[in-house]
Amino acid sequence: MVFAPNGDLYFGTMTIQGQEYQPTQGIWRIPGALQSDQQFNPPQQILPPTAFRKPTRSDSVRPSALLTSGPFQGDLLIIDVPSWTNTPGARVLRAPKPEFNTIAEFVPAHDNPAPFFPQGLAVDSQGDVFVTDHVNQKVLRYGAEGTPKGTFVEIAGPMQIAIGPDDLVYITAWRGSSSGALLVLTPDGKLLGSAQFPMRMYGVAVCAPQ
């Protein structure tokens, strides 16, 4: 999910039939979702399922961040992963503001050495974009216009990523079928600390000081 500065909420959806995940139902918006003094407005679909590559067993079409600088400032970044079986074709998309109802590739599908498999995305204070590549066990860095800046750090099983207002980087990781980790890194990729857990770690968020 992503909150826009005007309080609109953007999120992806899917359906499940039995034990099987069905293809994404697209990207939706709730206008004014941060206005706590009123009821939620009805969700509006802004991107249909046909805008994305058809997943076979995945909920991995999701808005992840807004670009904060560069020629595409304010555009919405969306992770599009066709399958959890490492099928080639995963990519990061850019939906141009203000309506976010069209898409363009921001990070195309690639192999290095295995197929690109993004699971998390965050933007730092300089506008650089960080993407966790779960299968290739690295966090990649891109400029605000999508230019590759190389590998930020190599980490086993990186999943979600969040960046604080001080540019400290927080990453969750899977370390096997029943273990995981939370790592904290400096803006230049040095490990500050980590914690191990007897479970897979997935989501992470940073609350900015008031």
Side-chain angles (χ1 to χ4, degrees):
M1 297 187 299
V2 176
F3 277 106
N6 66 354
D8 291 354
L9 175 64
Y10 295 86
F11 59 95
T13 57
M14 66 167 183
T15 59
I16 301 177
Q17 294 182 2
Q19 298 297 314
E20 294 296 321
Y21 292 98
Q22 301 301 307
T24 177
Q25 300 302 300
I27 302 296
W28 297 70
R29 170 175 55 211
I30 297 179
L34 278 180
Q35 300 176 20
S36 59
D37 59 341
Q38 66 177 32
Q39 293 183 341
F40 276 152
N41 294 309
Q44 307 167 349
Q45 187 178 73
I46 61 168
L47 283 165
T50 53
F52 306 99
R53 293 177 178 168
K54 184 178 179 180
T56 56
R57 184 178 171 85
S58 175
D59 62 345
S60 295
V61 173
R62 55 186 181 271
S64 298
L66 292 168
L67 288 164
T68 58
S69 65
F72 307 127
Q73 182 175 354
D75 287 2
L76 180 66
L77 294 179
I78 301 168
I79 292 176
D80 180 14
V81 178
S83 172
W84 269 98
T85 58
N86 305 346
T87 302
R91 56 191 177 160
V92 177
L93 302 173
R94 177 178 58 83
K97 62 180 184 300
E99 293 302 322
F100 310 113
N101 56 9
T102 61
I103 56 172
E105 281 195 334
F106 185 79
V107 179
H110 60 271
D111 299 331
N112 187 22
F116 179 49
F117 199 65
Q119 287 299 300
L121 185 153
V123 179
D124 72 4
S125 64
Q126 304 303 310
D128 281 353
V129 178
F130 295 70
V131 182
T132 59
D133 186 347
H134 179 73
V135 169
N136 289 295
Q137 303 191 68
K138 61 181 70 174
V139 179
L140 303 173
R141 188 172 190 165
Y142 298 86
E145 68 292 334
T147 303
K149 289 190 171 183
T151 299
F152 171 67
V153 68
E154 294 186 357
I155 292 175
M159 293 300 294
Q160 294 290 302
I161 182 171
I163 299 178
D166 51 7
D167 276 344
L168 291 181
V169 181
Y170 301 79
I171 301 171
T172 55
W174 286 6
R175 297 290 171 80
S177 60
S178 60
S179 62
L182 173 65
L183 302 96
V184 184
L185 298 96
T186 64
D188 58 357
K190 295 179 180 178
L191 183 66
L192 277 180
S194 64
Q196 309 298 315
F197 297 88
M199 64 190 75
R200 287 180 170 183
M201 301 294 290
Y202 190 72
V204 61
V206 176
C207 296
Q210 300 298 312

